[in-house]
C-alpha cells in the first residue's frame, strides 16, 4: 500500500519505524490534544502516561488516545491529503481498495462503487449482513461502525466530521460516568447517527 505513513502512538514505535526505514510520524509532545494549544517545547513525541497495560480498561486514557488519533487525522487532512486509516490488526493484501473508494487513481472506480467514490467519509462495520447488502440497505441503527478502518477524503465535510468527533470526545472529559464503552468509536457512531452527546 503506498503511500504509507505510520502514526506512531509512542516513542518506541516511532524509533522502530525510523530504524526500519518505515515512514512514520507522531504527534508533537508540545500539543495538548485536549485543547489544541501548544505547551512549552519538549523533546520527543506525545506520550500517554497510564498505569494500565491495556488502554481500553482505563476510561480517560483510552479517550485521550482517541484524541491523539483525531489530532493526527486533522493534521493530515489540513495538509490536503486523503487518509485511509486502519488499526494495527488490519491486513491489506493489495491496493485494490482504491477502486472502491476513490476517484483520481490510475483506474476508475468500479461502477457499483460510483457513489462511494464521491463520499466524504467511508467507515467499516464488523456486523455484516449479505442479504441486506444485496438489497442495498444500510446497516441497521444498532450496527456498530468500526473506526478501525476509515477513509476520509480531504473535503470540508470530512474536516467538519473530524472536528465534531473531537468535540464529542472533549465533551466527555472529566465525566464521572466514563467507562470502557465511552470511547472514540462509540462517540464517532453518535456523531454519524446524529445522537445527542
Amino acid at each position: 500500500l503506498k503511500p504509507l505513513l505510520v502514526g506512531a502512538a509512542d516513542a518506541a514505535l516511532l524509533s522502530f519505524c525510523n530504524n526500519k526505514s518505515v515512514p512514520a510520524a507522531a504527534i508533537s509532545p508540545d500539543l495538548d490534544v485536549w485543547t489544541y494549544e501548544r505547551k512549552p517545547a519538549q523533546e520527543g513525541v506525545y506520550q500517554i502516561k497510564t498505569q494500565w497495560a491495556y488502554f481500553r480498561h482505563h476510561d480517560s486514557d483510552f479517550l485521550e488516545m482517541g484524541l491523539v488519533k483525531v489530532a493526527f487525522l486533522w493534521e493530515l487532512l489540513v495538509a490536503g491529503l486523503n487518509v485511509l486509516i486502519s488499526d494495527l490488526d488490519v491486513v491489506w493484501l493489495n491496493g485494490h481498495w482504491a477502486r472502491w473508494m476513490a476517484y483520481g487513481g490510475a483506474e476508475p472506480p468500479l461502477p457499483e462503487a460510483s457513489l462511494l467514490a464521491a463520499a466524504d467519509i467511508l467507515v467499516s462495520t464488523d456486523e455484516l449482513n449479505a442479504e441486506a447488502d444485496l438489497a442495498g440497505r444500510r446497516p441497521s441503527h444498532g450496527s456498530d461502525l468500526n473506526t478501525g478502518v476509515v477513509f476520509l477524503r480531504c473535503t470540508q465535510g470530512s474536516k467538519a466530521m473530524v472536528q465534531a468527533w473531537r468535540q464529542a470526545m472533549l465533551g466527555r472529559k472529566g465525566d464521572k460516568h466514563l467507562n470502557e464503552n465511552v470511547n472514540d468509536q462509540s462517540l464517532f457512531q453518535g456523531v454519524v447517527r446524529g445522537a445527542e452527546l
Side-chain angles (χ1 to χ4, degrees), residues 63 161 164-165 168-170 172 181-192 197:
L63 203 53
M161 175 60 195
W165 187 14
M169 286 187 270
L170 289 174
R172 300 306 296 267
N181 296 316
V182 178
N183 53 54
D184 66 309
Q185 183 165 294
S186 65
L187 294 171
F188 177 89
Q189 290 181 77
V191 171
V192 168
L197 300 170

Side-chain angles (χ1 to χ4, degrees), residues 80-155:
L81 301 171
N82 295 330
V83 181
L84 173 61
I85 187 170
S86 62
D87 285 349
L88 292 173
D89 59 354
V90 174
V91 176
W92 295 95
L93 300 177
N94 61 48
H96 293 298
W97 64 270
R99 293 198 65 206
W100 286 97
M101 297 183 194
Y103 281 113
E107 299 180 61
L110 298 169
E112 58 267 44
S114 61
L115 292 177
L116 291 177
D120 291 324
I121 299 172
L122 297 171
V123 63
S124 62
T125 180
D126 292 339
E127 300 176 32
L128 304 177
N129 181 328
E131 185 178 304
D133 287 348
L134 288 172
R137 293 194 309 261
R138 294 172 56 186
S140 67
H141 187 72
S143 296
D144 283 340
L145 301 175
N146 183 344
T147 57
V149 179
V150 181
F151 179 74
L152 299 107
R153 196 174 321 284
C154 180
T155 63

Side-chain angles (χ1 to χ4, degrees), residues 34 59-61 63 169 172-183 187:
W34 293 97
D59 311 325
S60 63
D61 289 347
L63 203 53
M169 286 187 270
R172 300 306 296 267
K173 182 179 182 180
D175 186 335
K176 290 182 262 178
H177 303 292
L178 279 181
N179 60 50
E180 65 187 47
N181 296 316
V182 178
N183 53 54
L187 294 171

